[in-house]
Amino acid sequence: SQTIHQWPATLVQPVGSPLSLECTVEGTSNPNLYWYRQAAGRGLQLLFYSVGIGQISSEVPQNLSASRPQDRQFILSSKKLLLSDSGFYLCALDNQETQYFGPGTRLLVL
Amino acid sequence: GQNIDQPTEMTATEGAIVQINCTYQTSGFNGLFWYQQHAGEAPTFLSYNVLDGLEEKGRFSSFLSRSKGYSYLLLKELQMKDSASYLCAVEFSGGYNKLIFGAGTRLAVHP
């Protein structure tokens, strides 16, 4: 079965600091991978998706970036965090039937 | 444009039935998902509708009308553990499974 790991689980960072969130998946090969953000009390917003190694598509303009250095690894980064980057970051994969979500990383920018 | 609407909050009594509605205006519609999300946790998949009609899965059922841009999630025999947010998400056709999520409906089940 497919498993999604996200690291870290929680993170508190100062404004202007860099960010790196990691997502790794098991039990599947060549998955479509997604990064979502959920701000407090709001719906999920798609940030990036990737259909393969090195292939990244951005859904919204922002100070975040994503990379996929390996088939089962998806990384979300920022060079300088903003207060508005606080939220719950979810990595997801799809198996052609539905999207499954990882446990998420809760980020608080102060 | 793309717009998905669902009520912000609902309350219901343990053992009762509740219906959570979702309306959408989109282009390139492929299907509609419902997810359940408990506070502080990731969403978990509940149902997927592609064709018009009702899909039943235990205590949960989901309905879709493509012509009306309308779906609902029906929860029967409510239990306290059903207190959660329920997310409606529209899938778009294309090279990948792009989902657009509604803001979610927060359901509180009371004894």
Side-chain angles (χ1 to χ4, degrees), chain B residues 33-51:
Chain B
F33 289 86
W34 283 97
Y35 285 84
Q36 180 190 59
Q37 185 178 25
H38 285 100
E41 298 181 8
T44 56
F45 169 76
L46 288 179
S47 67
Y48 176 52
N49 293 68
V50 176
L51 302 176

Side-chain angles (χ1 to χ4, degrees), chain A residues 34 38 49 59 98-99 102, chain B residues 33 35 37 42 45 96-98:
Chain A
Y34 306 81
Q38 187 175 36
Y49 70 92
E59 285 294 307
T98 188
Q99 286 191 15
Chain B
F33 289 86
Y35 285 84
Q37 185 178 25
F45 169 76
Y96 73 105
N97 298 341
K98 178 176 179 177

Side-chain angles (χ1 to χ4, degrees), chain A residues 20-51:
Chain A
S20 181
L21 303 182
E22 185 163 340
C23 170
T24 57
V25 303
E26 296 176 355
T28 183
S29 59
N30 197 30
N32 291 342
L33 296 175
Y34 306 81
W35 276 113
Y36 289 88
R37 176 171 61 200
Q38 187 175 36
R42 303 183 66 178
L44 274 71
Q45 179 187 31
L46 178 63
L47 302 175
F48 301 95
Y49 70 92
S50 171
V51 298

Side-chain angles (χ1 to χ4, degrees), chain B residues 37-81:
Chain B
Q37 185 178 25
H38 285 100
E41 298 181 8
T44 56
F45 169 76
L46 288 179
S47 67
Y48 176 52
N49 293 68
V50 176
L51 302 176
D52 286 357
L54 188 67
E55 296 275 346
E56 297 187 73
K57 192 183 294 184
R59 293 190 300 114
F60 293 3
S61 302
S62 57
F63 172 85
L64 176 66
S65 169
R66 296 175 69 118
S67 61
K68 295 182 179 179
Y70 168 68
S71 173
Y72 67 72
L73 180 68
L74 192 70
L75 291 74
K76 304 176 185 176
E77 301 170 16
L78 280 172
Q79 302 175 8
M80 297 297 291
K81 67 178 182 179

